[in-house]
Amino acid sequence: MPPLLLIDHHNGVPAYRQIMDQVRLQIATGMLPPGTEMLSTRALSAELALNPMTISKAYGLLEHDGVLERRRGQTLVVRETHGEEAHVGRIEPLRNQLIAAASLARQLSVSRPEALRLFKEILNDETK
Amino acid sequence: MNAVTDISAAPTVAPFAARGITKRYGNQVALQDVTLEIPAGRIVGLIGRNGAGKTTLLNIVSGIVLPSSGTARTFGVPTDRLDTPQLSRLGVVQQEGGTISWMTVRQHLDFNASFYPTWDRKLEQRLLGELELDQKRKIIQLSTGDRQKVGLLLGVCHRPALLVLDEPMSALDPIVRARALDLLLERLRDDGCTVLVSSHILNDVEKIVDWVICLDKGEVVADSAFDELQESYAEWILSSPAGTLPTAYPEPFVLSQQGDSRQARLRVCTNEYNAAEKFASAFGAQVQKRPLNLEEMFPLLTNCRRDAR
């Protein structure tokens, strides 16, 4: 089952960026475990109705960043990561969301203790 | 960032290249000193307002009209010397006309097929179905939309290496338009066909293009990878409850502005990292930023010469 990627063509975010973000997120959540074979550029381009150039740019950058690696010739797979690197990869999507939340907190003049209390409260709510 | 391996190894000759071309009709200037290159294996969107020179440029690419001055080369050959080896690899879909109206769709397909040894009957059959065309009908009886479908079939069934389309989908319904877009992507995937398409339907264009050329009053005002445009153009909403925002923003990267001392909406073009945050903090303001889509970018692209400082 190939990863389900959804591209919004009209939000102004380059499609290659959307692919990269979604692949990273799926790896972080375990949807794409290490060793998973990615669809070929051609197949993904057909599936998403996107220019093959866009797919190869996203794949190329993910490979460059060490998220994917090439195996047995051309197949791209999810690279296995360990320790600190794996941890950073996993929390990165959350970190990005929190950067936006922190900016909003400053804009609303919400104090630090209040913002932290709110985040803890939400975390606790979710686990109930 | 740009050290990405390209799947389509760049061929040595660009499918089309123009050096300083100008085209005049009487004393009307349609194109003014245009220099550009269409990169191979890309889908290039040609955009611009009415009368910007899009059709003239497309007609120069296909050799239908010649530039008044400058050099235009298609597949490396000056366009006044295009011959069978080039023309057989060129697919042209004109805005209107270009068809013989008394023929049936079937007759017209056979007529065109007779010129091309590479005509692909299987592709033709599939597209007749996908585009929902009745091959028994006469061209003259067809709706504008159905005529555009015929134009598409006539342009692609010989599997060209360069496909030039002038507003090919303006009269198609959304379902068929989506299939037509898929068709262009498929030509690129299957044959490595370079596609040059003009359109006012920017929502369609941005789904498939990876390169954008924008003309304004006969001049090139943008010629860039689409990703790069998307990463340069943005909207910044500045807010300052204390009312510390200035009345005007003279910075050249601010292309449009509205608002007051408490809140302002800017449309900007900049590649600088964290530019928004630095800019906002200089005014003691907070900033929210978002990228612009092609439709939002379009007025900024076509105005940029008048705003140029």
Side-chain angles (χ1 to χ4, degrees):
Chain A
M1 173 69 194
L4 187 63
L5 301 175
L6 288 174
I7 304 302
D8 181 342
H9 289 288
H10 310 303
N11 67 5
V13 179
Y16 84 90
R17 278 270 156 221
Q18 297 188 42
I19 295 171
M20 289 177 71
D21 291 347
Q22 291 180 35
V23 168
R24 280 179 195 275
L25 183 63
Q26 293 193 6
I27 291 171
T29 57
M31 292 283 290
L32 281 175
T36 309
E37 279 189 19
M38 302 301 287
L39 283 181
S40 69
T41 297
R42 195 189 151 78
L44 189 58
S45 135
E47 175 152 325
L48 297 178
L50 277 176
N51 199 310
M53 210 73 97
T54 305
I55 313 289
S56 67
K57 182 168 182 180
Y59 277 180
L61 288 167
L62 285 169
E63 192 185 350
H64 176 263
D65 293 352
V67 175
L68 303 178
E69 64 183 348
R70 253 172 230 287
R71 200 183 276 173
R72 291 185 296 273
Q74 284 301 298
T75 324
L76 266 181
V77 300
V78 176
R79 195 172 72 96
E80 185 144 20
T81 52
H82 300 281
E84 180 62 13
E85 193 189 1
H87 182 67
V88 169
R90 204 169 66 244
I91 63 170
E92 194 188 290
L94 176 62
R95 190 185 152 77
N96 289 336
Q97 293 280 315
L98 290 179
I99 288 172
S103 147
L104 187 59
R106 280 193 292 272
Q107 212 168 341
L108 298 171
S109 311
V110 176
S111 72
R112 274 159 203 251
E114 200 181 347
L116 291 174
R117 194 165 58 240
L118 190 60
F119 186 48
K120 277 184 198 152
E121 198 181 300
I122 291 167
L123 277 176
N124 290 336
D125 276 356
E126 293 297 315
T127 53
K128 264 177 207 165
Chain B
M1 263 288 285
N2 290 324
V4 176
T5 45
D6 210 327
I7 46 160
S8 55
T12 43
V13 173
F16 176 75
R19 289 272 165 278
I21 55 170
T22 292
K23 178 65 187 175
R24 288 182 209 88
Y25 295 104
N27 53 12
Q28 188 98 4
V29 178
L31 286 179
Q32 176 75 46
D33 194 23
V34 167
T35 295
L36 53 80
E37 211 166 86
I38 304 295
R42 294 200 177 256
I43 300 188
V44 180
L46 179 61
I47 62 174
R49 304 194 58 195
N50 291 326
K54 301 188 296 295
T55 299
T56 301
L57 180 59
L58 294 176
N59 284 341
I60 286 174
V61 174
S62 53
I64 294 171
V65 302
L66 295 175
S68 312
S69 59
T71 57
R73 289 170 182 266
T74 299
F75 298 122
V77 174
T79 52
D80 59 351
R81 279 189 266 145
L82 291 178
D83 210 335
T84 312
Q86 295 83 40
L87 295 175
S88 60
R89 291 191 292 148
L90 185 65
V92 179
V93 179
Q94 285 187 276
Q95 201 166 359
E96 49 198 54
T99 49
I100 302 163
S101 61
W102 57 264
M103 285 189 180
T104 64
V105 174
R106 180 72 266 148
Q107 281 175 305
H108 213 313
L109 288 167
D110 291 341
F111 174 70
N112 279 53
S114 69
F115 293 100
Y116 297 101
T118 55
W119 194 268
D120 186 337
R121 290 286 176 190
K122 265 196 190 145
L123 178 62
E124 177 202 287
Q125 279 308 308
R126 209 189 78 218
L127 292 179
L128 279 168
E130 277 178 17
L131 300 179
E132 299 167 11
L133 256 182
D134 179 357
Q135 49 183 322
K136 293 191 287 293
R137 298 192 63 192
K138 286 192 155 110
I139 307 278
I140 200 165
Q141 299 167 329
L142 297 180
S143 66
T144 317
D146 280 350
R147 264 181 237 181
Q148 283 192 336
K149 296 175 189 173
V150 175
L152 279 169
L153 259 98
L154 296 176
V156 305
C157 286
H158 61 296
R159 306 180 63 163
L162 172 62
L163 182 56
V164 177
L165 310 102
D166 194 0
E167 280 290 346
M169 300 170 215
S170 53
L172 302 181
D173 71 53
I175 306 286
V176 179
R177 241 168 39 221
R179 289 181 194 161
L181 291 173
D182 272 345
L183 166 64
L184 300 184
L185 281 169
E186 177 196 281
R187 290 300 90 219
L188 170 60
R189 267 198 310 277
D190 290 357
D191 295 348
C193 177
T194 303
V195 178
L196 175 59
V197 54
S198 82
S199 180
H200 290 300
I201 311 175
L202 301 179
N203 280 337
D204 279 352
V205 171
E206 75 181 339
K207 286 182 197 163
I208 59 164
V209 301
D210 57 15
W211 197 273
V212 171
I213 293 173
C214 181
L215 290 176
D216 192 43
K217 299 196 172 75
E219 292 182 42
V220 177
V221 291
D223 180 5
S224 164
F226 184 40
D227 293 343
E228 284 167 25
L229 286 180
Q230 288 178 307
E231 285 167 344
S232 309
Y233 284 84
E235 179 172 271
W236 296 351
I237 308 275
L238 299 177
S239 51
S240 160
T244 54
L245 296 177
T247 48
Y249 302 84
E251 289 76 7
F253 61 84
V254 178
L255 303 177
S256 83
Q257 46 190 288
Q258 56 188 112
D260 54 30
S261 64
R262 294 162 55 81
Q263 193 165 54
R265 187 170 74 161
L266 310 183
R267 297 249 162 126
V268 302
C269 177
T270 172
N271 289 311
E272 206 194 321
Y273 180 70
N274 270 349
E277 289 74 12
K278 284 184 213 157
F279 192 70
S281 72
F283 299 113
Q286 293 290 332
V287 64
Q288 277 178 293
K289 50 185 179 171
R290 73 174 180 91
L292 299 180
N293 64 33
L294 191 55
E295 198 149 300
E296 293 168 316
M297 250 179 246
F298 184 75
L300 305 176
L301 291 170
T302 51
N303 278 327
C304 63
R305 264 187 317 146
R306 282 180 285 286
D307 281 2
R309 277 162 267 232

